[in-house]
Amino acid sequence: MVRSVAARETVAEPPTPLATPMSATAPTSARSVRWGDLEDAAGALDRPLLRQRGANTTSQMAVVGANVCPIESLDYEIVENDVYKQDWRSRGKIQVFHYQVMKWVLALLVGSVVGLVGFFNNIAVENIAGYKLLLTSNLMMQNRNLEAFLLFMACNVVLAASAAAICAYFAPAAAGSGIPEVKSYLNGVDAHSILAPSTLLVKIIGSIFGVSAGFVLGKEGPMVHTGACIASLLGQGGSRKYGLTWNWIRYFKNDLDRRDLITCGAAAGVTAAFRAPVGGVLFALEEATSWWRSALLWRTFSTTAVALMVLKSLIEYCRSGNCGLFGEGGLIMFDVSSRVTTYTAVDIVVVIVLGILGGLFGALFNHLLGRVLRKYGFINEKGAPYKILLTAFISIVSSCCSFGLSSLSPCIPCPPDLPAGRCPTIGRSGNFKKFWCPAGQYNALASLFLNTNDDAIRNLFSGGTDSEFNVWTLLVFFMAIYSLALITYGVAVPSGLFIPVILSGATFGRLLGKVFGSGTGLDTGLFALLGAASFLGGTMRMTVSVCVILLELTNDLLLLPLIMLVLLISKTVADCFNKGVYDQIVQMKGLPFLEVHGEACMRSLVAGDVISGPVITFSSVERVGAVVSTLRRTGHNGFPVIEDEPFAPAPELCGLVLRSHLLVLLQGKVFTRARVKTSAAEVFRKLKPFDFAKVGSSGKALEVDELGLTDEDMEMYVDLHPITNRSPYTVVENMSLAKAAVLFRDLGLRHMCVVPRTPGRPPVLGILTRHDFMPQYIRGLFQNVLRE
């Protein structure tokens, strides 16, 4: 029979219990807490992007992209039931070899596809933005300045509104960077459509439109999400929803193998964006994934190598001029290796100052971005039309800043040592933009504003151009880009933060180089590179991966000591004020991310303090009607199975059964009229092991109402032994909650059973899930323990 040993359902709530010290003889049973109650107490601090949405006893709510949706945990634990054992026993040497080979084939295939998509993104952005700038430049050469401005703004608004519309109506999960969502997924958090094919398609198209619209954002963050989506689509055997399935990769229909493949996809996304294969591997290790091992390192490195080779082959093809305005391209995006880099003690002092200021500005950026995202959250909640209007408004502001500030900039005579063809530049790109200056002169701000973001960074990194941008130009551009980056990130378009931060940091670094002037021997272009590193360290809080990415971007190994120094200083300074930008966004979105170490207050609590009751359990041989009734009235994904009479002399924990496995077993109708055990062979006559495989992120899971059971079926019995995990992870009720949190995260669990330490009590007291370790949940239980 179904037992209520401990309860997660809503019950009468006694007064809030006090925390039980670890030396206590018995833990206090915690009350049932609804998420709506928790939002009253702590939601405004820890989940500011969410409004009160009532009780939710089955799953948490979080912001995924620009959409609020329920989330669930992934289960990386191997479910050692009879189905799993039968599956492995049935695999011969050929199947095992097939499985090992397919791991590598899929990893290399992910690298190839991500490389193709990254190249397509680059071509599309360069051509769309290039033709827009060409048309604007042609009108200005005819002195039709007002028409040029209106065309420039109209193109930007149309592109921006189009990107926002497809995100708002077709795939809200595609909005934003996607890195917080991918990072949370690799930590064990799943949400509907986070890696769906529709999200992938909208992410690619929306990123192209958004970057081409002149927004201060990049395509690098979305490429990480794109790589993860591609890996998920290939790893789950296609999509049943869209009629694309491949049985030959059915072995990968589990969370563990998908996690590894998505890690490879995220690393390949960084490679395709920055053309930095080693940096991509280190990014996955340092920022993205929560679990790492040497075998995954080797496979991820192979994936990024393939992605780079695909990019190199396609770029070589473009050198013949077959790619429109993409040009000759090149694997080194901002090559500064031609400069001789020598530095003195005075230069190191200046670099230290740059690192400190970069950390301060990075921490300030994160703080202000959090405030902006809160405001945008209220606007985005009103619906798709408001998302589009907000995006169009920001596009108009960006266009007015680009054109208006360039109009206020004075014309500067061209350097006399430059040939006439290089200054002024007439066309889509170049260091010395003519704008509407007379012959022989250029507009410095237009050289930065009226370019793609990549070209603007290239201009700032360029060496031997100390006199091209004066202090006033760099100061105005820095203030504008810093502000535009803050108000742009958060609109409903795919948007990355790498390029805005690099652009702001490069401008500030070059500005500092101009201020120090002859006091330092470093070129202002090298100051721009160090400034970009300091802002990345202060904002992202990544060190090793950012250092290698910048080296691969610029091809300047001699700057390695200075880049390392400025990254360490900026990160250290910024850590004194707040978290990294992605960690901050993960928290603001309400994603239940498990940190490496539990909160300090967890050491004063034990596992029994946070469980709520009564937990719903099943007997090892249960009546079908009882199982169906329980599945209908609860949304739990795991149920303890109790072995009782006549199968055991006293009640004992048999194991844990998953909701998805129960539904498959009920659909197979492996029932008996009497309450007796059935053999695993009886189950496998009607069902195959792959019938129990998990549905992909874009698939539709089996529902209770789809089972088609009759009244006669409801009165029969079903044996749960074949699908019960006989060795679930358990902790004793008096284990430190901090230790339980570390165990839960390191093992990648979804459920952890809490058992009594003394006999004569129910065999299981409750189940710990991910949300039981969340600070806001604990705060709702023990307000005297957890403080802000």
Side-chain angles (χ1 to χ4, degrees), residues 373-711:
L373 291 178
R374 292 187 191 100
K375 300 297 183 183
Y376 283 2
F378 290 107
I379 298 175
N380 290 333
E381 275 187 344
K382 295 181 179 180
Y386 288 88
K387 296 178 183 178
I388 299 172
L389 289 175
L390 175 62
T391 304
F393 174 75
I394 299 300
S395 177
I396 293 173
V397 172
S398 300
S399 301
C400 291
C401 283
S402 299
F403 233 90
L405 293 177
S406 297
S407 302
L408 298 177
S409 177
C411 295
I412 302 174
C414 291
D417 56 334
L418 289 180
R422 290 190 57 190
C423 182
T425 301
I426 300 174
R428 56 176 291 270
S429 63
N431 279 45
F432 305 93
K433 281 280 190 177
K434 185 176 184 296
F435 203 53
W436 50 48
C437 292
Q441 298 184 15
Y442 72 96
N443 187 307
L445 272 178
S447 301
L448 297 173
F449 275 119
L450 299 183
N451 260 325
T452 62
N453 292 332
D454 289 353
D455 284 334
I457 294 173
R458 190 173 289 107
N459 292 347
L460 291 169
F461 282 179
S462 61
T465 56
D466 292 356
S467 60
E468 178 183 354
F469 305 110
N470 56 38
V471 173
W472 182 88
T473 298
L474 293 171
L475 180 61
V476 171
F477 186 71
F478 170 70
M479 295 174 61
I481 289 298
Y482 195 84
S483 302
L484 289 175
L486 285 170
I487 65 174
T488 301
Y489 190 86
V491 298
V493 299
S495 52
L497 279 174
F498 271 98
I499 288 299
V501 172
I502 291 175
L503 193 57
S504 301
T507 308
F508 183 79
R510 194 167 182 117
L511 173 63
L512 199 66
K514 292 288 291 185
V515 170
F516 282 98
S518 58
T520 176
L522 293 178
D523 186 89
T524 53
L526 296 180
F527 265 108
L529 175 59
L530 295 174
S534 70
F535 271 55
L536 285 170
T539 305
M540 309 291 181
R541 312 295 163 84
M542 293 181 285
T543 53
V544 180
S545 57
V546 167
C547 181
V548 174
I549 287 173
L550 287 176
L551 290 177
E552 292 181 292
L553 275 175
T554 57
N555 196 30
D556 195 346
L557 190 60
L558 295 176
L559 271 181
L560 176 62
L562 295 183
I563 292 177
M564 293 174 64
L565 177 64
V566 78
L567 279 170
L568 291 172
I569 293 174
S570 62
K571 173 179 166 53
T572 303
V573 171
D575 280 340
C576 297
F577 298 96
N578 47 37
K579 293 183 178 182
V581 64
Y582 294 129
D583 293 328
Q584 178 177 298
I585 294 174
V586 165
Q587 184 178 6
M588 293 181 67
K589 285 177 173 287
L591 296 165
F593 189 89
L594 289 176
E595 301 289 350
V596 177
H597 303 289
E599 297 283 342
C601 65
M602 289 184 182
R603 299 197 177 278
S604 63
L605 300 172
V606 295
D609 287 331
V610 297
I611 58 174
S612 52
V615 66
I616 309 257
T617 66
F618 290 124
S619 295
S620 56
V621 180
E622 188 63 85
R623 191 171 62 87
V624 174
V627 176
V628 172
S629 175
T630 301
L631 294 178
R632 277 180 175 158
R633 64 186 176 87
T634 67
H636 306 322
N637 289 284
F639 302 89
V641 177
I642 305 300
E643 192 86 88
D644 52 11
E645 294 181 351
F647 310 109
E652 60 184 32
L653 179 62
C654 178
L656 189 77
V657 65
L658 298 181
R659 181 188 189 91
S660 59
H661 290 181
L662 281 171
L663 291 170
V664 174
L665 186 64
L666 291 175
Q667 188 182 43
K669 297 186 177 182
V670 188
F671 305 149
T672 58
R673 296 190 179 277
R675 191 165 180 259
V676 295
K677 287 186 178 181
T678 57
S679 64
E682 183 68 24
V683 175
F684 295 127
R685 287 193 186 99
K686 296 184 178 181
L687 298 170
K688 298 178 181 178
F690 288 114
D691 293 333
F692 294 90
K694 185 174 180 179
V695 178
S697 59
S698 61
K700 183 179 182 299
L702 185 63
E703 299 291 343
V704 181
D705 295 332
E706 299 173 358
L707 297 177
L709 298 176
T710 64
D711 293 340

Side-chain angles (χ1 to χ4, degrees), residues 296-366:
L296 182 58
L297 173 67
W298 176 225
R299 208 181 321 153
T300 305
F301 183 74
S302 302
T303 304
T304 58
V306 171
L308 183 67
M309 287 188 288
V310 170
L311 278 174
K312 179 176 175 58
S313 301
L314 294 172
I315 288 173
E316 289 294 331
Y317 172 76
C318 285
R319 290 185 185 277
S320 58
N322 297 320
C323 302
L325 296 178
F326 184 69
E328 293 185 356
L331 287 179
I332 306 300
M333 293 176 67
F334 313 117
D335 195 346
V336 297
S337 60
S338 59
R339 284 168 278 177
V340 178
T341 307
T342 57
Y343 40 87
T344 63
V346 176
D347 298 330
I348 294 178
V349 173
V350 176
V351 169
I352 292 175
V353 173
L354 180 58
I356 295 173
L357 293 176
L360 293 175
F361 275 108
L364 178 63
F365 183 90
N366 292 356

Side-chain angles (χ1 to χ4, degrees), residues 8 20-22 27-30 602-612 730-741 752-755 765-769 772-773 777 781-782:
R8 275 191 189 269
T20 303
M22 292 184 62
T28 304
S29 177
M602 289 184 182
R603 299 197 177 278
S604 63
L605 300 172
V606 295
D609 287 331
V610 297
I611 58 174
S612 52
T730 60
V731 295
V732 183
E733 58 182 330
N734 63 338
M735 173 181 274
S736 162
L737 189 60
K739 283 186 176 180
M752 179 185 285
C753 296
V754 179
V755 298
L765 300 179
I767 293 181
L768 290 176
T769 59
D772 293 314
F773 299 104
Y777 175 79
L781 294 174
F782 308 103

